[in-house]
Amino acid sequence: MKEFWTACGYHLLDHNAGGGLVVTDEFLKAYLARPELMPPDNACVVERRLHQQLLVDPRRIVAAEEVAAIADADARENWQFVLAFRQLLMREPTLEAAYLALVRSGSINLPPLFVNQLVQVILRNALDGCEDPFVLRASELFFRPQRIVPHEHSLLLGDEEVGRWESPTPVLSLISLLGGATSAELDVLSEANADSYWRRSDRFDLALDFSVGTRGPTELAGAMRRWISHLLGVDVVIEPLTGLRDAELTWYVGLDADGTRIGDWLWHGETLDDRTMARVLALFRVTFADAGLVVDAAGREPVYLILAMTSDRLVRMKPQNLLTGLPIKHLEAAT
């Protein structure tokens, strides 16, 4: 079996009988040892001592007074987030249950970094055994912001943090994407280089062709199906579409903030200009294997998913919307 996303700490976790991820001391220690959680060189003695003690005993109770004694205000806030995240993982029986509790609370009060890392390790569990690099690369949208990359006649997605995807040509719409120039460094996932994904999966340095009719939208649909099945225990079919045409948006889920806004405008009957509609990157239709699970308000109409980009060409997918926005009668954790 081929390995991927090894840096997420998946192999440091245990599994319960249902396949859910159970937090371990080793995982907590490795998490505390991440570069972004290491105290900086100018950190005070209190912060350094707290960090060292938690590396030895990652479940140690930390009094509020200890955090309050940290000299730097930003460091105090950061530690409050770290400890709140640690408490969430230790309180729930699985990481899946912790994530569901977080997104169902209606208030995600943790930095995106923590949430994205949690999504990644859960998705690693859901995709365990997958040996298709196209599925895995498409799944990176769940936890890694993407930038639209103009390249010849294709619509490509590149990891935003990698930061080498910038084009000298401003991109204002999907129309201007066609024919745009791009960096010579661009390395796009293809059948020819797919095997390289296994050694570079933690580098996130492969672009993905997300043009209509390519494997990009198709494999993202498959990843979303596995995500829903893993976390909710609900079987669905998700199909990429080329356009909504005359479809009635009886029920829709925005896969990001912009997709939600565009769906709201369409649902209210507003006419959108070409510039706005060009920000829609992909549309999907969801049907349920068991129609009896669907709430009455949704009727028998399909559910639509809308993925869009921001005005500055970024894609920030919100996988929690797939768990909280679908018209399912009983949403319980499957693990």
Side-chain angles (χ1 to χ4, degrees), residues 287-299:
T287 52
F288 292 81
D290 182 357
L293 295 175
V294 181
V295 298
D296 293 339

Side-chain angles (χ1 to χ4, degrees), residues 250-309:
T250 303
W251 201 288
Y252 61 92
V253 176
L255 296 175
D256 56 276
D258 290 84
T260 298
R261 279 191 288 270
I262 290 172
D264 290 344
W265 291 331
L266 291 173
W267 191 79
H268 285 98
E270 297 186 30
T271 300
L272 305 184
D273 57 31
D274 291 341
R275 186 187 184 91
T276 301
M277 289 302 298
R279 286 166 53 194
V280 176
L281 298 180
L283 300 163
F284 303 90
R285 179 173 54 218
V286 182
T287 52
F288 292 81
D290 182 357
L293 295 175
V294 181
V295 298
D296 293 339
R300 298 300 180 189
E301 295 295 326
V303 175
Y304 295 95
L305 309 177
I306 305 172
L307 180 68
M309 66 176 173

Side-chain angles (χ1 to χ4, degrees), residues 108-263:
I108 299 179
N109 54 0
L110 290 172
L113 173 68
F114 291 90
V115 180
N116 288 339
Q117 289 171 345
L118 182 57
V119 167
Q120 182 184 9
V121 74
I122 293 172
L123 191 56
R124 171 62 183 83
N125 193 27
L127 294 171
D128 192 40
C130 177
E131 296 195 358
D132 188 335
F134 286 89
V135 175
L136 302 180
R137 177 57 184 90
S139 300
E140 292 175 17
L141 273 75
F142 280 64
F143 57 92
R144 302 280 300 190
Q146 306 288 307
R147 178 169 292 280
I148 303 299
V149 186
H151 180 65
E152 298 178 352
H153 297 286
S154 299
L155 172 62
L156 306 181
L157 298 180
D159 191 277
E160 167 64 8
E161 191 174 313
V162 171
R164 61 176 176 81
W165 314 108
E166 288 297 332
S167 165
T169 304
V171 179
L172 302 179
S173 69
L174 291 183
I175 295 176
S176 59
L177 276 173
L178 302 179
T182 190
S183 167
E185 299 179 24
L186 191 63
D187 196 359
V188 183
L189 180 65
S190 66
E191 296 293 346
N193 66 10
D195 280 344
S196 71
Y197 185 88
W198 305 109
R199 59 178 170 78
R200 63 201 290 184
S201 69
D202 286 309
R203 287 159 42 186
F204 307 109
D205 60 352
L206 279 167
L208 177 69
D209 192 344
F210 212 72
S211 308
V212 174
T214 65
R215 292 190 63 181
T218 299
E219 305 307 349
L220 179 60
M224 290 190 291
R225 177 188 60 77
R226 292 178 72 155
W227 176 253
I228 294 167
S229 176
H230 182 72
L231 283 157
L232 300 181
V234 175
D235 293 329
V236 297
V237 175
I238 303 179
E239 308 164 88
L241 303 175
T242 56
L244 282 175
R245 297 188 178 89
D246 298 324
E248 295 184 11
L249 293 183
T250 303
W251 201 288
Y252 61 92
V253 176
L255 296 175
D256 56 276
D258 290 84
T260 298
R261 279 191 288 270
I262 290 172

Side-chain angles (χ1 to χ4, degrees), residues 309-329:
M309 66 176 173
T310 66
S311 58
D312 55 350
R313 299 185 288 132
L314 289 178
V315 184
R316 296 188 179 94
M317 185 173 166
K318 294 185 174 183
Q320 66 267 30
N321 291 2
L322 288 167
L323 308 177
T324 60
L326 292 175
I328 303 173
K329 290 179 180 177

